[in-house]
Amino acid sequence: MAKIITINRKYIAMVASVFVICLIGYAGFSLWENKNENVAKNMAAPEIKMIGVTVEPASIVKDLTYGSVTIKGAQVITTKTFDLIVTVQNMTAKKMTNVPVELQVSLIGNDSKKVTSPGSLETLEPGATARIAFRQINVLGDALGKSATDGQHLITLRVNPNPEGGVEQATEASFRFNVDTTVKVPSTVKKQ
């Protein structure tokens, strides 16, 4: 005796729909996972790490008050010119040559006042540190003990890519400081 099995088309359509949804979900999850792995690889560690910045003459950290505005823990430069020495480290296992380093100083709130100074490191061995100095940088504004904004500067340090020299990744670091030539430097800070 032969049995005839009939399957309703409605059930076939539902099973096919569930299969398609599962397939799309799996493909989407795989793509998302691959993208996150690539982002993690690219963001894991920079090729060149900025490990220190020194200002000469030494800057001081001080609370500044201008009228009713108080800036807590401001880094203050008390001269019209200064030197900036940056220490970088090669975080890769490859030797780098002709590493382009750029310094940009801008006056916060005034985009027309901006100075860019190019620099370069000839070689940077694997794991080695090096220093690059930017000398005689002129300040772009001075608070003069009166303005909370006239002396605010932004320094941006960039290591630009140079694939021929082994640098494939851009690295950037920024910090803010105030210039106020009326601030008294404590005797414990060496002024040059």
Side-chain angles (χ1 to χ4, degrees), residues 77-112:
I77 294 177
T78 60
T79 60
K80 293 274 188 185
T81 60
F82 63 96
D83 297 341
L84 192 74
I85 297 113
V86 182
T87 306
V88 297
Q89 182 177 14
N90 182 347
M91 302 300 288
T92 67
K94 61 185 175 187
K95 179 179 178 180
M96 297 178 178
T97 57
N98 298 322
V99 179
V101 181
E102 178 182 273
L103 169 73
Q104 181 178 350
V105 180
S106 58
L107 191 62
I108 296 173
N110 187 344
D111 292 336
S112 65

mmCIF file of all heavy atoms in Angstrom, residues 77-112:
data_model
loop_
_atom_site.group_PDB
_atom_site.id
_atom_site.type_symbol
_atom_site.label_atom_id
_atom_site.label_comp_id
_atom_site.label_asym_id
_atom_site.label_seq_id
_atom_site.Cartn_x
_atom_site.Cartn_y
_atom_site.Cartn_z
ATOM 1 N N ILE A 77 52.921 79.154 29.234
ATOM 2 C CA ILE A 77 54.236 79.539 28.724
ATOM 3 C C ILE A 77 54.343 81.039 28.958
ATOM 4 O O ILE A 77 53.428 81.796 28.628
ATOM 5 C CB ILE A 77 54.381 79.177 27.240
ATOM 6 C CG1 ILE A 77 54.367 77.653 27.094
ATOM 7 C CG2 ILE A 77 55.649 79.772 26.652
ATOM 8 C CD1 ILE A 77 54.431 77.150 25.682
ATOM 9 N N THR A 78 55.452 81.468 29.541
ATOM 10 C CA THR A 78 55.579 82.867 29.967
ATOM 11 C C THR A 78 56.528 83.672 29.086
ATOM 12 O O THR A 78 56.938 84.762 29.469
ATOM 13 C CB THR A 78 56.061 82.919 31.427
ATOM 14 O OG1 THR A 78 57.324 82.267 31.508
ATOM 15 C CG2 THR A 78 55.059 82.259 32.363
ATOM 16 N N THR A 79 56.880 83.152 27.908
ATOM 17 C CA THR A 79 57.784 83.858 26.996
ATOM 18 C C THR A 79 57.147 84.004 25.619
ATOM 19 O O THR A 79 56.180 83.318 25.302
ATOM 20 C CB THR A 79 59.121 83.094 26.849
ATOM 21 O OG1 THR A 79 58.838 81.799 26.318
ATOM 22 C CG2 THR A 79 59.834 82.962 28.182
ATOM 23 N N LYS A 80 57.714 84.879 24.806
ATOM 24 C CA LYS A 80 57.181 85.118 23.456
ATOM 25 C C LYS A 80 57.671 84.079 22.442
ATOM 26 O O LYS A 80 57.086 83.924 21.385
ATOM 27 C CB LYS A 80 57.577 86.519 22.974
ATOM 28 C CG LYS A 80 56.931 87.632 23.762
ATOM 29 C CD LYS A 80 55.598 87.945 23.195
ATOM 30 C CE LYS A 80 55.032 89.186 23.867
ATOM 31 N NZ LYS A 80 53.700 89.458 23.427
ATOM 32 N N THR A 81 58.774 83.395 22.731
ATOM 33 C CA THR A 81 59.265 82.306 21.879
ATOM 34 C C THR A 81 59.630 81.118 22.765
ATOM 35 O O THR A 81 59.982 81.293 23.934
ATOM 36 C CB THR A 81 60.515 82.715 21.064
ATOM 37 O OG1 THR A 81 61.549 83.073 21.959
ATOM 38 C CG2 THR A 81 60.215 83.851 20.110
ATOM 39 N N PHE A 82 59.532 79.931 22.202
ATOM 40 C CA PHE A 82 59.861 78.730 22.955
ATOM 41 C C PHE A 82 60.321 77.637 21.997
ATOM 42 O O PHE A 82 60.143 77.740 20.779
ATOM 43 C CB PHE A 82 58.665 78.257 23.786
ATOM 44 C CG PHE A 82 57.462 77.855 22.976
ATOM 45 C CD1 PHE A 82 57.241 76.528 22.644
ATOM 46 C CD2 PHE A 82 56.550 78.812 22.553
ATOM 47 C CE1 PHE A 82 56.135 76.158 21.907
ATOM 48 C CE2 PHE A 82 55.434 78.451 21.812
ATOM 49 C CZ PHE A 82 55.224 77.128 21.479
ATOM 50 N N ASP A 83 60.914 76.603 22.547
ATOM 51 C CA ASP A 83 61.323 75.425 21.788
ATOM 52 C C ASP A 83 60.438 74.265 22.223
ATOM 53 O O ASP A 83 60.048 74.171 23.382
ATOM 54 C CB ASP A 83 62.783 75.055 22.064
ATOM 55 C CG ASP A 83 63.758 76.140 21.636
ATOM 56 O OD1 ASP A 83 63.379 76.996 20.815
ATOM 57 O OD2 ASP A 83 64.902 76.125 22.118
ATOM 58 N N LEU A 84 60.147 73.385 21.292
ATOM 59 C CA LEU A 84 59.344 72.208 21.582
ATOM 60 C C LEU A 84 60.132 70.984 21.127
ATOM 61 O O LEU A 84 60.526 70.894 19.973
ATOM 62 C CB LEU A 84 58.014 72.283 20.830
ATOM 63 C CG LEU A 84 56.966 71.285 21.245
ATOM 64 C CD1 LEU A 84 56.370 71.687 22.585
ATOM 65 C CD2 LEU A 84 55.866 71.207 20.222
ATOM 66 N N ILE A 85 60.387 70.068 22.046
ATOM 67 C CA ILE A 85 61.127 68.851 21.739
ATOM 68 C C ILE A 85 60.188 67.673 21.913
ATOM 69 O O ILE A 85 59.598 67.471 22.977
ATOM 70 C CB ILE A 85 62.375 68.694 22.636
ATOM 71 C CG1 ILE A 85 63.335 69.851 22.362
ATOM 72 C CG2 ILE A 85 63.085 67.388 22.356
ATOM 73 C CD1 ILE A 85 63.509 70.766 23.462
ATOM 74 N N VAL A 86 60.032 66.887 20.860
ATOM 75 C CA VAL A 86 59.112 65.754 20.838
ATOM 76 C C VAL A 86 59.918 64.464 20.836
ATOM 77 O O VAL A 86 60.867 64.325 20.059
ATOM 78 C CB VAL A 86 58.216 65.799 19.579
ATOM 79 C CG1 VAL A 86 57.226 64.657 19.578
ATOM 80 C CG2 VAL A 86 57.508 67.128 19.472
ATOM 81 N N THR A 87 59.556 63.519 21.693
ATOM 82 C CA THR A 87 60.194 62.201 21.719
ATOM 83 C C THR A 87 59.218 61.193 21.146
ATOM 84 O O THR A 87 58.074 61.102 21.592
ATOM 85 C CB THR A 87 60.575 61.805 23.160
ATOM 86 O OG1 THR A 87 61.366 62.846 23.733
ATOM 87 C CG2 THR A 87 61.359 60.506 23.177
ATOM 88 N N VAL A 88 59.682 60.448 20.126
ATOM 89 C CA VAL A 88 58.849 59.435 19.470
ATOM 90 C C VAL A 88 59.538 58.081 19.540
ATOM 91 O O VAL A 88 60.753 57.999 19.728
ATOM 92 C CB VAL A 88 58.558 59.807 17.992
ATOM 93 C CG1 VAL A 88 57.762 61.082 17.901
ATOM 94 C CG2 VAL A 88 59.832 59.907 17.188
ATOM 95 N N GLN A 89 58.743 57.023 19.387
ATOM 96 C CA GLN A 89 59.294 55.671 19.414
ATOM 97 C C GLN A 89 58.721 54.861 18.266
ATOM 98 O O GLN A 89 57.522 54.900 17.994
ATOM 99 C CB GLN A 89 58.962 54.980 20.737
ATOM 100 C CG GLN A 89 59.561 53.594 20.844
ATOM 101 C CD GLN A 89 59.298 52.946 22.195
ATOM 102 O OE1 GLN A 89 58.457 53.410 22.966
ATOM 103 N NE2 GLN A 89 60.013 51.890 22.489
ATOM 104 N N ASN A 90 59.594 54.104 17.592
ATOM 105 C CA ASN A 90 59.198 53.185 16.533
ATOM 106 C C ASN A 90 58.628 51.941 17.192
ATOM 107 O O ASN A 90 59.324 51.225 17.895
ATOM 108 C CB ASN A 90 60.415 52.836 15.661
ATOM 109 C CG ASN A 90 60.067 51.918 14.503
ATOM 110 O OD1 ASN A 90 59.001 51.340 14.448
ATOM 111 N ND2 ASN A 90 60.996 51.791 13.583
ATOM 112 N N MET A 91 57.356 51.657 16.980
ATOM 113 C CA MET A 91 56.687 50.529 17.618
ATOM 114 C C MET A 91 56.649 49.284 16.723
ATOM 115 O O MET A 91 55.995 48.308 17.059
ATOM 116 C CB MET A 91 55.254 50.921 17.997
ATOM 117 C CG MET A 91 55.155 52.123 18.922
ATOM 118 S SD MET A 91 56.000 51.890 20.477
ATOM 119 C CE MET A 91 54.909 50.732 21.265
ATOM 120 N N THR A 92 57.354 49.329 15.595
ATOM 121 C CA THR A 92 57.335 48.203 14.662
ATOM 122 C C THR A 92 58.675 47.473 14.684
ATOM 123 O O THR A 92 59.613 47.886 15.361
ATOM 124 C CB THR A 92 57.062 48.692 13.222
ATOM 125 O OG1 THR A 92 58.173 49.473 12.771
ATOM 126 C CG2 THR A 92 55.786 49.517 13.161
ATOM 127 N N ALA A 93 58.761 46.429 13.899
ATOM 128 C CA ALA A 93 60.002 45.665 13.771
ATOM 129 C C ALA A 93 60.744 46.031 12.494
ATOM 130 O O ALA A 93 61.634 45.314 12.054
ATOM 131 C CB ALA A 93 59.686 44.167 13.782
ATOM 132 N N LYS A 94 60.398 47.167 11.893
ATOM 133 C CA LYS A 94 61.068 47.582 10.658
ATOM 134 C C LYS A 94 61.741 48.934 10.842
ATOM 135 O O LYS A 94 61.293 49.779 11.616
ATOM 136 C CB LYS A 94 60.075 47.627 9.497
ATOM 137 C CG LYS A 94 58.938 48.609 9.704
ATOM 138 C CD LYS A 94 57.918 48.529 8.592
ATOM 139 C CE LYS A 94 56.740 49.449 8.915
ATOM 140 N NZ LYS A 94 55.649 49.335 8.017
ATOM 141 N N LYS A 95 62.826 49.116 10.107
ATOM 142 C CA LYS A 95 63.556 50.389 10.135
ATOM 143 C C LYS A 95 62.789 51.404 9.289
ATOM 144 O O LYS A 95 62.307 51.087 8.208
ATOM 145 C CB LYS A 95 64.962 50.185 9.560
ATOM 146 C CG LYS A 95 65.784 51.434 9.522
ATOM 147 C CD LYS A 95 67.165 51.138 8.975
ATOM 148 C CE LYS A 95 67.998 52.397 8.886
ATOM 149 N NZ LYS A 95 69.341 52.102 8.365
ATOM 150 N N MET A 96 62.696 52.625 9.799
ATOM 151 C CA MET A 96 62.003 53.695 9.084
ATOM 152 C C MET A 96 63.009 54.772 8.709
ATOM 153 O O MET A 96 63.914 55.076 9.483
ATOM 154 C CB MET A 96 60.895 54.287 9.947
ATOM 155 C CG MET A 96 59.815 53.318 10.288
ATOM 156 S SD MET A 96 58.583 54.093 11.348
ATOM 157 C CE MET A 96 57.430 52.760 11.533
ATOM 158 N N THR A 97 62.838 55.337 7.533
ATOM 159 C CA THR A 97 63.718 56.411 7.074
ATOM 160 C C THR A 97 62.883 57.589 6.592
ATOM 161 O O THR A 97 61.745 57.422 6.148
ATOM 162 C CB THR A 97 64.628 55.935 5.927
ATOM 163 O OG1 THR A 97 63.819 55.447 4.851
ATOM 164 C CG2 THR A 97 65.571 54.836 6.382
ATOM 165 N N ASN A 98 63.473 58.767 6.671
ATOM 166 C CA ASN A 98 62.814 60.005 6.232
ATOM 167 C C ASN A 98 61.388 60.108 6.768
ATOM 168 O O ASN A 98 60.431 60.220 6.015
ATOM 169 C CB ASN A 98 62.823 60.126 4.713
ATOM 170 C CG ASN A 98 64.229 60.181 4.171
ATOM 171 O OD1 ASN A 98 65.111 60.782 4.771
ATOM 172 N ND2 ASN A 98 64.457 59.523 3.040
ATOM 173 N N VAL A 99 61.270 60.063 8.084
ATOM 174 C CA VAL A 99 59.967 60.107 8.747
ATOM 175 C C VAL A 99 59.518 61.571 8.824
ATOM 176 O O VAL A 99 60.145 62.380 9.507
ATOM 177 C CB VAL A 99 60.045 59.498 10.167
ATOM 178 C CG1 VAL A 99 58.692 59.585 10.854
ATOM 179 C CG2 VAL A 99 60.550 58.062 10.113
ATOM 180 N N PRO A 100 58.433 61.940 8.122
ATOM 181 C CA PRO A 100 57.977 63.332 8.155
ATOM 182 C C PRO A 100 57.189 63.643 9.429
ATOM 183 O O PRO A 100 56.210 62.983 9.732
ATOM 184 C CB PRO A 100 57.092 63.457 6.912
ATOM 185 C CG PRO A 100 56.680 62.069 6.572
ATOM 186 C CD PRO A 100 57.684 61.126 7.181
ATOM 187 N N VAL A 101 57.658 64.648 10.165
ATOM 188 C CA VAL A 101 56.992 65.091 11.388
ATOM 189 C C VAL A 101 56.622 66.555 11.185
ATOM 190 O O VAL A 101 57.441 67.343 10.706
ATOM 191 C CB VAL A 101 57.914 64.935 12.617
ATOM 192 C CG1 VAL A 101 57.197 65.386 13.882
ATOM 193 C CG2 VAL A 101 58.384 63.498 12.762
ATOM 194 N N GLU A 102 55.402 66.912 11.536
ATOM 195 C CA GLU A 102 54.927 68.273 11.311
ATOM 196 C C GLU A 102 54.377 68.851 12.610
ATOM 197 O O GLU A 102 53.665 68.171 13.343
ATOM 198 C CB GLU A 102 53.840 68.232 10.242
ATOM 199 C CG GLU A 102 53.205 69.552 9.924
ATOM 200 C CD GLU A 102 52.107 69.404 8.893
ATOM 201 O OE1 GLU A 102 52.416 69.439 7.693
ATOM 202 O OE2 GLU A 102 50.949 69.226 9.311
ATOM 203 N N LEU A 103 54.715 70.090 12.874
ATOM 204 C CA LEU A 103 54.202 70.815 14.033
ATOM 205 C C LEU A 103 53.288 71.916 13.528
ATOM 206 O O LEU A 103 53.651 72.670 12.628
ATOM 207 C CB LEU A 103 55.347 71.432 14.835
ATOM 208 C CG LEU A 103 54.939 72.425 15.921
ATOM 209 C CD1 LEU A 103 54.310 71.685 17.088
ATOM 210 C CD2 LEU A 103 56.117 73.230 16.381
ATOM 211 N N GLN A 104 52.094 71.990 14.112
ATOM 212 C CA GLN A 104 51.177 73.077 13.780
ATOM 213 C C GLN A 104 50.785 73.772 15.067
ATOM 214 O O GLN A 104 50.337 73.132 16.015
ATOM 215 C CB GLN A 104 49.944 72.551 13.066
ATOM 216 C CG GLN A 104 48.981 73.649 12.682
ATOM 217 C CD GLN A 104 47.771 73.094 11.929
ATOM 218 O OE1 GLN A 104 47.720 71.937 11.543
ATOM 219 N NE2 GLN A 104 46.795 73.932 11.738
ATOM 220 N N VAL A 105 50.972 75.075 15.109
ATOM 221 C CA VAL A 105 50.578 75.896 16.247
ATOM 222 C C VAL A 105 49.473 76.823 15.760
ATOM 223 O O VAL A 105 49.627 77.494 14.743
ATOM 224 C CB VAL A 105 51.766 76.726 16.788
ATOM 225 C CG1 VAL A 105 51.335 77.572 17.972
ATOM 226 C CG2 VAL A 105 52.929 75.838 17.161
ATOM 227 N N SER A 106 48.347 76.833 16.475
ATOM 228 C CA SER A 106 47.255 77.722 16.085
ATOM 229 C C SER A 106 46.691 78.416 17.311
ATOM 230 O O SER A 106 46.740 77.886 18.416
ATOM 231 C CB SER A 106 46.160 76.944 15.347
ATOM 232 O OG SER A 106 45.669 75.905 16.139
ATOM 233 N N LEU A 107 46.181 79.604 17.080
ATOM 234 C CA LEU A 107 45.540 80.384 18.134
ATOM 235 C C LEU A 107 44.078 79.956 18.176
ATOM 236 O O LEU A 107 43.372 80.031 17.172
ATOM 237 C CB LEU A 107 45.661 81.876 17.854
ATOM 238 C CG LEU A 107 45.274 82.816 18.975
ATOM 239 C CD1 LEU A 107 46.170 82.601 20.193
ATOM 240 C CD2 LEU A 107 45.379 84.264 18.520
ATOM 241 N N ILE A 108 43.624 79.460 19.317
ATOM 242 C CA ILE A 108 42.250 78.959 19.442
ATOM 243 C C ILE A 108 41.276 80.121 19.279
ATOM 244 O O ILE A 108 41.427 81.166 19.908
ATOM 245 C CB ILE A 108 42.049 78.248 20.790
ATOM 246 C CG1 ILE A 108 42.949 77.013 20.849
ATOM 247 C CG2 ILE A 108 40.588 77.869 21.005
ATOM 248 C CD1 ILE A 108 42.973 76.316 22.177
ATOM 249 N N GLY A 109 40.311 79.928 18.390
ATOM 250 C CA GLY A 109 39.311 80.960 18.146
ATOM 251 C C GLY A 109 39.660 81.901 17.009
ATOM 252 O O GLY A 109 38.874 82.757 16.642
ATOM 253 N N ASN A 110 40.867 81.767 16.426
ATOM 254 C CA ASN A 110 41.263 82.619 15.313
ATOM 255 C C ASN A 110 41.960 81.737 14.277
ATOM 256 O O ASN A 110 43.165 81.506 14.351
ATOM 257 C CB ASN A 110 42.194 83.729 15.796
ATOM 258 C CG ASN A 110 42.494 84.747 14.702
ATOM 259 O OD1 ASN A 110 42.260 84.503 13.526
ATOM 260 N ND2 ASN A 110 43.026 85.881 15.110
ATOM 261 N N ASP A 111 41.190 81.232 13.314
ATOM 262 C CA ASP A 111 41.727 80.305 12.317
ATOM 263 C C ASP A 111 42.757 80.939 11.388
ATOM 264 O O ASP A 111 43.518 80.238 10.738
ATOM 265 C CB ASP A 111 40.592 79.717 11.473
ATOM 266 C CG ASP A 111 39.705 78.792 12.286
ATOM 267 O OD1 ASP A 111 40.194 78.248 13.303
ATOM 268 O OD2 ASP A 111 38.536 78.602 11.905
ATOM 269 N N SER A 112 42.798 82.263 11.319
ATOM 270 C CA SER A 112 43.773 82.912 10.439
ATOM 271 C C SER A 112 45.180 82.901 11.041
ATOM 272 O O SER A 112 46.159 83.070 10.323
ATOM 273 C CB SER A 112 43.339 84.351 10.129
ATOM 274 O OG SER A 112 43.357 85.128 11.314
#
